[in-house]
Amino acid sequence: MVANFAHEIDSWGHIPNGNRSYYLSRSQPPFFAFMLELLADKQGDDVLKQYLPQLEKEHAYWMEGATDLAAGQTHKRVVKLQDGAVLNRYWDDRDAPRTERVQAR
């Protein structure tokens, strides 16, 4: 699973919700780091070094625009609260229904 998700991150910058093209605008929750932590507990810290590029790439996806936000602003998957804390949120870059949904009408 980790190797497959690393491939998805290398290919798309994140782990899409599914295997259809319209899912490229949505990501699974950012669990890749937690998966690596579990794997490193079993196989050692070399796993973390091996997948560091993918960790950084997924982090960049989730944090895109965070450095430019003022308190109270949002950008895609990032929200900056009034106290300066930064949170991530679910965000779909595609503002349209799934292809099947449109065709079903």
Side-chain angles (χ1 to χ4, degrees):
M1 289 291 294
V2 168
N4 288 338
F5 283 165
H7 174 75
E8 295 286 345
I9 293 168
D10 285 339
S11 298
W12 313 112
H14 65 283
I15 302 168
N17 275 98
N19 291 325
R20 301 223 175 183
S21 60
Y22 56 78
Y23 284 129
L24 292 175
S25 63
R26 315 173 196 178
S27 178
Q28 293 287 351
F31 292 135
F32 187 67
F34 296 117
M35 293 172 67
L36 286 180
E37 183 179 26
L38 291 171
L39 190 58
D41 287 346
K42 301 289 183 196
Q43 295 184 4
D45 288 344
D46 285 345
V47 168
L48 301 175
K49 294 174 191 171
Q50 177 183 351
Y51 290 107
L52 182 60
Q54 291 84 5
L55 280 170
E56 290 175 336
K57 193 170 188 175
E58 186 184 43
H59 182 263
Y61 171 83
W62 280 96
M63 297 306 292
E64 178 191 337
T67 57
D68 300 326
L69 291 179
Q73 289 185 321
T74 63
H75 178 75
K76 295 187 178 187
R77 292 161 289 279
V78 182
V79 176
K80 191 165 198 176
L81 301 179
Q82 292 296 331
D83 66 1
V86 176
L87 300 176
N88 290 109
R89 65 180 179 165
Y90 176 79
W91 180 262
D92 189 343
D93 291 331
R94 186 171 180 243
D95 187 19
R98 298 182 332 266
T99 305
E100 291 95 348
R101 177 79 176 150
V102 174
Q103 292 173 352
R105 291 183 180 173

